[in-house]
Amino acid sequence: MPDIRIENLRKAYGDVAVIEDLNLCMADGEFTVLVGPSGCGKSTTLRMIAGLESCTGGAILIGGRDVTRLEPRERDLAMVFQDYALYPHMNVAKNMSFALRLARYPKAEIDRRVREVAETLDLTAYLARKPAELSGGQRQRVAMGRALVRDAGTFLFDEPLSNLDAKLRGHMRAELALMSRRIRKNMIYVTHDQVEAMTLGDRIVVMRHGKIMQAGPPAELYRKPANRFVAGFIGSPTMNFLKGELVEEDGRLRVDGAGFSIPLPAERAARLQGSARRAVEVGIRPSGFTPADGPDALQLPVILAEYLGTQSIVMSEMGGARVTIELMGSEPIATGGTRMFRIEDKDVHLFDIETEQAL
Amino acid sequence: MSVATANRLTPYLFLAPALVILLGALVYPIIYVIYASFLDWNPSQRIGEASFVGLRNYAKLLSDAAFLESLRVTLAFAAIVVSVEMVLGVGLALLLDRNMKGLTVLRTVFILPMMIAPIVVGLMWRYMYHPTIGIFNRTLNSLGLEPVPWLSDSSWAFAAVIIADVWQWTPFIFILSLAALQSLPKSALEAARIDGARGWQAILYIKLPLMLPVLIVTMLLRLIDAFKVLEVILVMTNGGPGLSTEILSLRINRTASEFRALGEAAAMSNILLLVLMALTLAMFLYTKASEARSRRLAAAQEPAT
């Protein structure tokens, strides 16, 4: 299995650059997820790797081989499209075997592979059906099967689950995770859904405006977001952002804002030495609020409580700004009134107001 | 009459004028021509004075060598022009289905011949085929080659009318094929590229099969038209030399005006009508079948549930 390297990749339509100076390295057998909001360039990047889109500059190397100017068929990859892209005039078996038939594989080998993959994807009963006669989930599996049959070196997925309903999407996500573990190939997966990114990826690449904001394992992105954008994009419910100021008192650093004052741990205070009176953006995960009593606990109103069974999502207010609080527990929380919370300092993220970089 | 009955009849009342026009403009002439085909009728007689001869006109046509030759010429003409036009039209559409500068202008230029009146096309080609002043023979002459008897030799004349028809009607196939090509699902074509299809394989295995419904309807429309072609050939060769380019519409015209046999001409028209009706029926049945198919496809393309 080859590793994939993207070097200084650039894509422009006329004067408008949609991808600029993108550098990325994907190791053997790694499941990489490109994630970001609409228009961030993730699909364009994937399509350039596939060879469906030309590159304005830079290079794409698969297994050390420069494939930048090669046709898709010369890149040894398989792709699952958002709308499945099945051939409407061919039945499931023909759809799955198209690439093998083009490559003139022996008929017995084609049959064997199609049967094998159809069995793993539970499609054996539908081999003679045309795509029009299948449900959305089945068509999705055929698209997956078509990619699997080829046994290509790299698998590309362009938002393959976004046309499915929530329940089926969850199911297919699990299937996909199992499949990727089983076949251990290079997988590059594009999605705008951070839950998909977190659950599937060995590595997540967060993109915005054609640039990589941060790349790393899911836990790293969640725990140590490199900037405000990644912090806001990864994690559900999303992080709360509040205006604050670093204050030094008695040699200890803390962050103050409207309605809160959180002391910073010594390690971080050391990093921020000399930053007193600096205005910052404070990011607090909804899970960073814990019910507490005591003098330094914050009293926050429960404006709205959404009960989800094992947890509740509380909408509250801190110094005039809306905040979301995630509380574990199967007991419903009543809307109205106030509750006491403490903010764990390890759950507090600080960002530069100007550069939005993490401090 | 009760109010309910009046209400029920109102829509029919509004439809009545259209029905009257339809009966007068469409059904009456057809019945008239069917009736006329059973008569021995010449233009100096009123239709009432013509004698009824039953199926004699039809029987006579079946043993009339000139009519059978004309039918053969028509079938050969229609088959050849439609085949050539399909190959050229679809080929051009496949070539020009890309985003390149100036293609819009080129596409417009390609469809110009279709917009010219057939009589003008006929005249234009007649002058181009002219043995001495026509551009073809002058070009051949300047190249030191023998002139070609374009319209005076029966084989050349047949080829000449085919070339003129192909020139005028290939654009029709071209624009419909181009529209079909541009409405093909893009992602399926991309999937084919990923699956390893080369350009010609994508055409053969993906594009053409997906275009097939449009191509079949286009072909039938052209076939129907090719059976009825008249003006271009009338102006270019008037059916000659001999009977080499005398297609059915010309034969009908001559039978009625030159041979003054209106009954026979009517019988010929009816035979042509039957052929065209068979083609139309085929097209209708095909459209029905493909509509049902696209409904199924559309239902399948809805977001999954």
Side-chain angles (χ1 to χ4, degrees):
Chain A
M1 279 171 291
D3 61 320
I4 299 170
R5 271 213 332 270
I6 295 173
E7 294 174 351
N8 308 319
L9 194 67
R10 188 167 183 277
K11 176 75 187 175
Y13 296 100
D15 292 337
V16 184
V18 290
I19 307 281
E20 268 189 290
D21 210 22
L22 193 99
N23 286 285
L24 196 60
C25 197
M26 293 163 241
D28 276 4
E30 196 175 48
F31 198 125
T32 308
V33 180
L34 304 181
V35 67
S38 297
C40 71
K42 54 190 190 300
S43 278
T44 310
T45 306
L46 188 82
R47 289 170 60 79
M48 284 197 281
I49 296 171
L52 295 173
E53 207 69 67
S54 63
C55 307
T56 314
I60 298 168
L61 293 99
I62 301 182
R65 189 169 64 115
D66 188 346
V67 300
T68 320
R69 309 264 167 248
L70 295 186
E71 277 291 305
R73 65 169 181 275
E74 296 164 309
R75 300 186 182 205
D76 185 31
L77 32 86
M79 183 161 170
V80 179
F81 291 78
Q82 182 173 7
D83 62 355
Y84 319 133
L86 300 178
Y87 310 123
H89 57 297
M90 296 183 196
N91 63 25
V92 171
K94 288 243 155 67
N95 258 287
M96 285 168 67
S97 62
F98 186 61
L100 302 181
R101 285 185 286 133
L102 286 179
R104 299 190 179 284
Y105 273 65
K107 198 175 173 304
E109 169 74 3
I110 295 177
D111 285 349
R112 186 186 63 77
R113 284 213 208 175
V114 169
R115 297 238 157 250
E116 230 171 71
V117 173
E119 234 161 77
T120 45
L121 290 171
D122 215 6
L123 285 169
T124 313
Y126 308 106
L127 284 175
R129 289 204 194 168
K130 294 246 175 96
E133 296 157 348
L134 300 174
S135 72
Q138 288 162 345
R139 265 180 275 154
Q140 214 281 336
R141 293 211 300 274
V142 177
M144 212 86 101
R146 186 171 63 180
L148 282 176
V149 158
R150 293 189 41 201
D151 198 26
T154 305
F155 287 79
L156 309 177
F157 300 88
D158 189 5
E159 309 210 24
L161 306 183
S162 59
N163 280 0
L164 303 178
D165 65 53
K167 197 174 161 196
L168 199 53
R169 192 157 59 226
H171 174 72
M172 288 307 294
R173 199 168 60 216
E175 290 285 325
L176 199 61
L178 285 175
M179 185 191 85
S180 79
R181 248 168 232 137
R182 202 172 55 239
I183 63 170
R184 270 290 148 202
K185 298 261 184 176
N186 291 330
M187 308 236 175
I188 307 176
Y189 189 103
V190 161
T191 180
H192 61 266
D193 180 352
Q194 61 95 22
V195 178
E196 268 173 40
M198 294 290 275
T199 49
L200 288 171
D202 294 324
R203 208 152 68 101
I204 298 177
V205 178
V206 182
M207 292 181 69
R208 183 197 193 189
H209 299 153
K211 291 195 176 101
I212 295 177
M213 292 281 107
Q214 189 176 2
E220 185 184 305
L221 264 64
Y222 184 79
R223 290 195 199 120
K224 289 183 188 161
N227 48 57
R228 188 192 185 282
F229 179 78
V230 174
F233 198 83
I234 300 290
S236 174
T238 52
M239 188 182 268
N240 299 296
F241 292 101
L242 303 158
K243 297 274 177 254
E245 189 184 42
L246 291 173
V247 176
E248 198 174 353
E249 204 175 71
D250 306 332
R252 294 195 60 190
L253 201 63
R254 60 168 208 273
V255 58
D256 284 0
F260 66 92
S261 175
I262 309 161
L264 296 175
E267 178 212 342
R268 190 181 289 179
R271 269 210 321 267
L272 293 168
Q273 213 153 36
S275 300
R277 317 293 324 157
R278 178 178 179 177
V280 290
E281 185 128 39
V282 184
I284 307 165
R285 293 250 179 240
S287 55
F289 294 82
T290 42
D293 290 317
D296 46 344
L298 299 163
Q299 189 175 27
L300 300 177
V302 178
I303 298 170
L304 183 74
E306 293 173 332
Y307 176 65
L308 300 175
T310 54
Q311 78 208 83
S312 293
I313 309 294
V314 174
M315 188 199 285
S316 184
E317 204 176 65
M318 240 168 103
R322 280 275 153 85
V323 290
T324 309
I325 298 167
E326 188 182 17
L327 289 176
M328 300 311 288
S330 54
E331 269 307 302
I333 291 169
T335 295
T338 58
R339 288 211 162 210
M340 304 296 281
F341 295 97
R342 199 180 45 175
I343 300 168
E344 301 289 335
D345 53 16
K346 67 177 171 51
D347 289 317
V348 174
H349 301 263
L350 301 176
F351 303 98
D352 188 283
I353 296 262
E354 300 270 302
T355 64
E356 297 194 348
Q357 293 301 308
L359 297 171
Chain B
M1 198 192 319
S2 72
V3 176
T5 318
N7 278 347
R8 203 165 44 81
L9 291 178
T10 311
Y12 298 101
L13 198 68
F14 281 112
L15 286 174
L19 189 71
V20 170
I21 291 170
L22 198 72
L23 284 174
L26 211 69
V27 180
Y28 174 73
I30 290 176
I31 292 174
Y32 193 88
V33 86
I34 291 172
Y35 175 62
S37 72
F38 300 128
L39 303 175
D40 180 9
W41 178 28
N42 75 60
S44 57
Q45 295 170 305
R46 280 189 288 116
I47 192 162
E49 294 165 2
S51 49
F52 188 82
V53 292
L55 290 170
R56 203 184 70 192
N57 285 332
Y58 290 96
K60 192 177 161 202
L61 283 183
L62 293 179
S63 55
D64 177 359
F67 169 75
L68 293 176
E69 174 61 12
S70 176
L71 191 63
R72 190 195 65 78
V73 168
T74 310
L75 289 172
F77 175 81
I80 294 171
V81 294
V82 174
S83 308
V84 176
E85 285 163 14
M86 287 299 290
V87 172
L88 289 180
V90 175
L92 271 177
L94 286 167
L95 266 175
L96 296 182
D97 175 35
R98 57 197 71 206
N99 291 323
M100 267 165 59
K101 264 194 180 155
L103 265 189
T104 322
V105 179
L106 204 60
R107 283 178 200 156
T108 316
V109 171
F110 270 118
I111 61 169
L112 277 178
M114 209 174 76
M115 303 177 190
I116 304 173
I119 208 98
V120 179
V121 173
L123 280 170
M124 203 176 78
W125 281 91
R126 199 171 87 183
Y127 287 122
M128 290 202 291
Y129 284 135
H130 193 279
T132 50
I133 58 161
I135 182 135
F136 295 125
N137 277 359
R138 273 197 294 138
T139 310
L140 289 174
N141 199 23
S142 67
L143 293 172
L145 298 168
E146 281 291 303
V148 169
W150 291 109
L151 300 178
S152 49
D153 173 89
S154 50
S155 304
W156 280 111
F158 189 63
V161 293
I162 284 174
I163 291 170
D165 192 89
V166 166
W167 178 83
Q168 189 176 22
W169 291 109
T170 298
F172 177 75
I173 315 271
F174 165 69
I175 46 168
L176 292 187
S177 304
L178 194 64
L181 264 176
Q182 288 176 343
S183 64
L184 293 186
K186 280 222 158 37
S187 59
L189 295 170
E190 288 180 343
R193 284 179 69 195
I194 298 264
D195 272 346
R198 288 161 193 278
W200 66 268
Q201 287 170 320
I203 290 174
L204 201 63
Y205 301 127
I206 311 289
K207 288 184 182 175
L208 286 179
L210 290 180
M211 285 166 77
L212 202 61
V214 175
L215 293 187
I216 289 182
V217 173
T218 310
M219 191 183 74
L220 284 169
L221 284 173
R222 264 312 292 143
L223 263 179
I224 291 171
D225 245 20
F227 272 103
K228 298 188 302 181
V229 67
L230 174 72
E231 300 98 320
V232 175
I233 300 180
L234 181 78
V235 174
M236 277 175 69
T237 64
N238 196 19
L243 295 179
S244 62
T245 59
E246 193 177 75
I247 38 103
L248 262 185
S249 347
L250 261 176
R251 180 90 206 149
I252 294 167
N253 185 33
R254 282 182 75 187
T255 309
S257 56
E258 262 180 57
F259 311 148
R260 300 169 61 81
L262 293 182
E264 242 175 81
M268 282 181 200
S269 298
N270 288 338
I271 288 171
L272 182 60
L273 186 68
L274 276 178
V275 174
L276 293 181
M277 268 174 65
L279 284 174
T280 313
L281 192 68
M283 188 172 83
F284 177 73
L285 290 177
Y286 183 80
T287 316
K288 272 275 199 206
S290 60
E291 262 172 19
R293 187 168 153 268
S294 51
R295 258 202 308 278
R296 275 210 319 272
L297 280 178
Q301 270 158 14
E302 278 166 20
T305 51

